[in-house]
């Protein structure tokens, strides 16, 4: 069996990490898995990308085209928004390779794969949705908007300075270009429900397969040793927060975390230290009132595993999440998670067993959750054990990879191309 995975990046973001893990897991199973990305940022020899001066120029133009077009159309936004359009084709040679049995799509934006190309693919398509973009007219996170259920138009995320309805145009373009036989996979039940309710995927084959994590790479270690390596204080509680764009992405809830920490600090319940990863120290950092360390972007599993093990609690204050890797990695490391009860976090965290699910966007209840996890050492130990057990039983990467392998075989068999 030969599978082509397509993701814009081979390194940056949660989608890239999930896609690469699946790709490598399939190779370990004996499948011929190929990973196609816009650039080879990781230096991995298994990653292919458009080569040659002309293609590299096309890639550079494609990646900058959408933001420029939206600016010219006065259709700007502070949140992720994509048209799904690329003026230059750089990946048709890969898509036309008849030796592939499955084309597995991941996060394809940034001008990498034009949706018009999807109707030209002759092989079965599996699409793992890392966010809601495939359902909508362009937004990656619809928040409370449900226009994708009937047909996107007049997107509330975009500025209103143009008469051209880019959301309507993008939505109808997707409707025209999506193959009828596409197979949708979502990591969370929340996103599966949204896909079933959407106008674009209603009636499609939609499966739920959670993201997985390597339970050997991410596992409980000696806390004192981890803190010593990272040079963070041995005494007191360590509160961890991190995401791509941790301090700049409004959706990640840095402001809600700040409000929660301020409440805890005013109570002076315990000595604490905060570590923020995924973002450099802001020019004007928020004063939490307690010592704070910013680590910047981290890409390797070793550094991340050490961080999770050094921490007493991982806080995920996002306003919307599908199935964040930071939550899985933390739980696998035996570190409980405090988050809002939204999206796929409901699938990952068991309330008061592996962490705490706070009322959505209530900073006071987020503070309650952090306090509840940290104030009792015996309880914290039970939470740690339960967190590890949950990941081993439900989210072990080997089991997840096997589920995809079985899905591919089922699809290939249905299409009469079994090999």
């Amino acid at each position: 069996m030969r599978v082509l995975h397509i993701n814009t990046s081979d390194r940056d973001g949660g989608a890239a990490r999930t896609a690469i893990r699946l790709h490598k897991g399939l190779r370990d199973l004996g499948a011929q898995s190929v990973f196609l990305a816009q650039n080879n940022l990781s230096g991995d020899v298994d990653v292919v990308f458009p080569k040659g001066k002309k293609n590299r120029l096309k890639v550079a133009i494609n990646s900058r085209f959408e933001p420029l077009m939206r600016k010219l159309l006065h259709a700007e936004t502070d949140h992720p928004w994509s048209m799904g359009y690329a003026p230059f084709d750089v990946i048709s040679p890969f898509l036309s390779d008849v030796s592939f049995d499955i084309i597995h799509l991941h996060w394809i934006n940034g001008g990498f794969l034009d949706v018009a190309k999807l109707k030209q693919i002759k092989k079965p398509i599996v699409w793992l949705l890392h966010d809601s973009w495939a359902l909508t007219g362009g937004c990656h996170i619809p928040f409370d908007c449900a226009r994708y259920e009937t047909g996107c138009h007049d997107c509330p995320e975009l500025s209103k300075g143009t008469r051209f309805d880019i959301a309507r145009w993008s939505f109808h373009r997707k409707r025209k270009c999506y193959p009828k036989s596409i197979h949708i996979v979502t990591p969370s039940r929340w996103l599966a429900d949204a896909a079933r309710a959407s106008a674009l995927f209603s009636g499609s084959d939609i499966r739920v397969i959670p993201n997985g994590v390597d339970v050997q790479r991410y596992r409980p270690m000696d806390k004192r040793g981890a803190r010593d390596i990272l040079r963070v204080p041995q005494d007191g509680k360590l509160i961890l927060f991190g995401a791509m764009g941790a301090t700049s992405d409004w959706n990640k809830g840095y402001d809600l975390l700040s409000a929660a920490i301020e409440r805890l600090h005013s109570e002076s319940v315990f000595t604490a230290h905060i570590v923020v990863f995924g973002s450099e120290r802001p020019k004007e950092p928020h004063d939490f009132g307690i010592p704070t360390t910013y680590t910047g972007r981290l890409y390797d599993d070793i550094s991340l595993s050490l961080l999770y093990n050094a921490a007493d609690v991982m806080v995920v204050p996002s306003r919307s999440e599908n199935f964040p890797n930071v939550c899985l990695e933390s739980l696998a490391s035996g570190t409980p998670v405090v988050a809002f009860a939204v999206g796929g976090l409901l699938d990952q965290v068991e309330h008061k067993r592996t962490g705490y699910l706070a009322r959505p966007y209530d900073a006071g209840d987020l503070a309650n959750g952090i306090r509840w996890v940290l104030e009792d050492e015996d309880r914290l130990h039970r939470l740690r054990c339960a967190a590890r057990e949950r990941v081993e039983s439900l989210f072990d990467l080997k089991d997840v990879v096997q589920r995809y392998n079985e899905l591919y075989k089922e699809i290939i068999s249905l299409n009469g191309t079994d090999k």
Side-chain angles (χ1 to χ4, degrees):
M1 179 169 52
R2 200 156 188 259
V3 183
L4 176 65
H5 292 271
I6 303 177
N7 194 77
T8 301
S9 177
D10 64 327
R11 185 190 67 182
D12 293 341
R17 292 174 61 79
T18 297
I20 280 288
R21 286 170 178 173
L22 177 55
H23 156 69
K24 291 186 175 182
L26 287 166
R27 290 177 70 91
D28 290 342
L29 273 185
Q32 297 181 49
S33 182
V34 177
F35 196 99
L36 172 63
Q38 203 169 44
N39 300 285
N40 189 334
L41 300 176
S42 65
D44 192 323
V45 294
D46 292 338
V47 175
V48 298
F49 61 99
K51 296 180 180 179
K53 290 184 178 180
K54 288 185 178 179
N55 278 335
R56 300 315 301 159
L57 178 60
K58 291 177 180 178
V59 166
I61 294 173
N62 282 352
S63 64
R64 293 167 175 79
F65 180 80
E66 283 198 14
L68 176 61
M69 282 302 298
R70 285 194 286 106
K71 186 173 184 178
L72 292 174
L73 292 169
H74 302 286
E76 298 180 87
T77 176
D78 293 328
H79 304 299
W81 210 100
S82 303
M83 297 164 57
Y85 180 78
F88 295 107
D89 175 23
V90 293
I91 65 173
S92 279
F94 301 96
L95 298 178
S96 61
D97 187 338
V98 296
S99 68
F100 290 114
D101 300 296
I102 296 285
I103 305 296
H104 190 137
L105 306 179
H106 294 270
W107 200 89
I108 59 172
N109 302 111
F112 190 40
L113 196 160
D114 191 310
V115 294
K117 289 295 173 186
L118 299 183
K119 62 182 179 181
Q120 300 176 19
I121 298 175
K122 305 303 180 184
K123 296 294 183 176
I125 299 174
V126 172
W127 196 348
L128 171 55
L129 306 188
H130 297 274
D131 57 31
S132 300
W133 178 80
L135 320 177
T136 75
C139 71
H140 291 257
I141 306 172
F143 296 108
D144 294 331
C145 179
R147 296 182 193 187
Y148 63 85
E149 294 182 1
T150 54
C152 287
H153 59 90
D154 301 315
C155 180
E157 291 294 324
L158 299 178
S159 54
K160 305 299 181 182
T162 178
R163 292 183 178 180
F164 179 68
D165 193 339
I166 191 173
R168 186 190 297 274
W169 175 84
S170 178
F171 190 89
H172 284 285
R173 192 164 180 262
K174 288 179 178 180
R175 175 174 273 165
K176 180 181 178 181
C177 295
Y178 281 178
K180 293 182 179 179
S181 59
I182 198 166
H183 302 272
I184 301 299
V185 178
T186 70
S188 65
R189 293 173 295 171
W190 162 77
L191 189 52
D193 289 341
R196 294 186 185 105
S198 71
L200 291 174
F201 292 125
S202 176
S204 297
D205 175 29
I206 299 172
R207 317 284 182 100
V208 177
I209 302 178
N211 294 342
V213 63
D214 188 333
V215 296
Q216 298 306 313
R217 288 180 182 269
Y218 290 91
R219 65 184 192 278
M221 302 181 209
D222 177 63
K223 183 179 297 294
R224 294 191 66 84
R227 291 190 178 188
D228 185 55
I229 293 172
L230 295 172
R231 298 182 180 179
V232 294
Q234 292 287 352
D235 298 328
K237 303 297 184 181
L238 195 153
I239 300 170
L240 186 62
F241 165 67
M244 187 173 177
T247 61
S248 58
D249 184 345
W250 178 80
N251 181 55
K252 296 303 178 182
Y254 181 66
D255 57 325
L256 297 170
L257 172 69
S258 301
I261 296 299
E262 285 177 2
R263 286 174 179 257
L264 291 174
H265 176 60
S266 66
E267 297 170 1
S268 301
V269 178
F270 38 70
T271 302
H273 186 99
I274 299 176
V275 174
V276 178
F277 67 96
S279 180
E280 299 294 339
R281 181 183 178 87
K283 291 183 178 179
E284 297 182 3
H286 180 83
D287 183 7
F288 290 104
I290 57 178
T292 306
T293 298
Y294 293 85
T295 70
R297 297 281 293 276
L298 298 174
Y299 298 103
D300 64 291
D301 293 323
I302 295 175
S303 297
L304 286 168
S305 181
L306 285 170
L307 264 183
Y308 296 123
N309 274 278
D312 292 289
V313 64
M314 173 77 197
V315 184
V316 184
S318 302
R319 289 175 166 86
S320 179
E321 284 288 359
N322 179 12
F323 210 84
N325 284 319
V326 291
C327 184
L328 276 188
E329 292 161 357
S330 181
L331 294 173
S333 304
T335 300
V337 173
V338 174
F340 291 122
V342 296
L345 288 161
L346 291 162
D347 293 349
Q348 294 178 307
V349 180
E350 284 186 286
H351 184 54
K352 292 191 173 182
R353 186 172 182 274
T354 64
Y356 188 99
L357 291 172
R359 290 186 298 274
Y361 325 131
D362 184 338
D365 199 30
L366 191 70
N368 291 340
I370 298 170
R371 184 193 309 106
W372 184 84
V373 168
L374 297 179
E375 66 185 359
D376 186 300
E377 285 296 330
D378 290 337
R379 178 194 295 152
L380 180 55
H381 176 72
R382 291 194 299 271
L383 291 169
R384 286 183 175 279
C385 294
R388 175 65 182 181
E389 289 171 3
R390 181 167 176 78
V391 172
E392 287 180 320
S393 63
L394 296 178
F395 309 125
D396 187 332
L397 181 61
K398 289 183 178 180
D399 296 335
V400 170
V401 169
Q402 185 59 51
R403 290 179 65 176
Y404 273 103
N405 192 51
E406 292 170 0
L407 174 61
Y408 296 154
K409 289 180 179 179
E410 175 189 336
I411 293 171
I412 292 170
S413 178
L414 287 173
N415 283 267
T417 57
D418 202 4
K419 293 184 178 181

